[in-house]
Amino acid sequence: NYSTKSSVSGSDSATSSNAGGSSSLWTEEEREQFKMGVIVNGWGSWTEVAKNVPTKTTAQIRSRALYIKRHKQDEEARLKAEHAKLVSRNPQLYSSGYVSQVTSAATAEKPTDVAVEPAAVVKPKSPKSPKSP
């Protein structure tokens, strides 16, 4: 029956089928769990992020991340920035090498006034200026 098949694609049945982790549709709650997992664990730590979304597999987490990377670059950048902010505010939760790596990557992606001003300091001296005795 065609009407039965079309009702399967409705949001109510998609939400209920997610409980088993078999559906590829994402509920709002799962999207929020994904975002929080990325903010806490970092972009690329998909096994750890998957622990935050119990209804999805690691492969589904990677697939969602790829979708965001291809179609929602602003969201990817925001999640990475939120993670960097969390790491810089709580360095005791992460290794020191990881903290410096994340914070330096965040400052490279989003320049601040402090990062822009030193460019004038880096300017090389001109060798053509003659000195008068």
Side-chain angles (χ1 to χ4, degrees):
N1 182 329
Y2 182 76
S3 63
T4 304
K5 289 181 182 178
S6 65
S7 68
V8 170
S9 64
S11 61
D12 291 337
S13 61
T15 304
S16 64
S17 67
N18 266 349
S22 61
S23 176
S24 62
L25 299 176
W26 285 68
T27 65
E28 185 62 35
E29 181 181 5
E30 289 168 332
R31 286 191 292 270
E32 287 303 314
Q33 290 170 338
F34 173 85
K35 289 176 188 178
M36 289 308 298
V38 171
I39 290 169
V40 171
N41 299 295
W43 189 266
S45 302
W46 307 130
T47 303
E48 293 303 312
V49 173
K51 292 175 184 176
N52 208 52
V53 190
T55 56
K56 297 294 182 184
T57 66
T58 304
Q60 288 171 316
I61 298 294
R62 283 193 303 260
S63 177
R64 176 80 183 162
L66 185 58
Y67 169 79
I68 291 171
K69 187 173 190 66
R70 289 181 178 168
H71 302 288
K72 298 183 176 187
Q73 292 89 5
D74 57 327
E75 184 176 342
E76 176 189 3
R78 186 185 62 74
L79 290 172
K80 287 179 176 180
E82 287 291 325
H83 176 68
K85 211 184 304 182
L86 177 70
V87 170
S88 66
R89 290 181 181 166
N90 302 285
Q92 69 279 8
L93 300 176
Y94 303 91
S95 71
S96 60
Y98 182 77
V99 171
S100 60
Q101 175 188 356
V102 169
T103 53
S104 66
T107 55
E109 289 178 9
K110 186 178 179 183
T112 62
D113 293 339
V114 177
V116 174
E117 289 177 22
V121 176
V122 179
K123 185 177 173 184
K125 294 181 181 180
S126 174
K128 296 180 184 177
S129 44
K131 288 189 175 184
S132 353

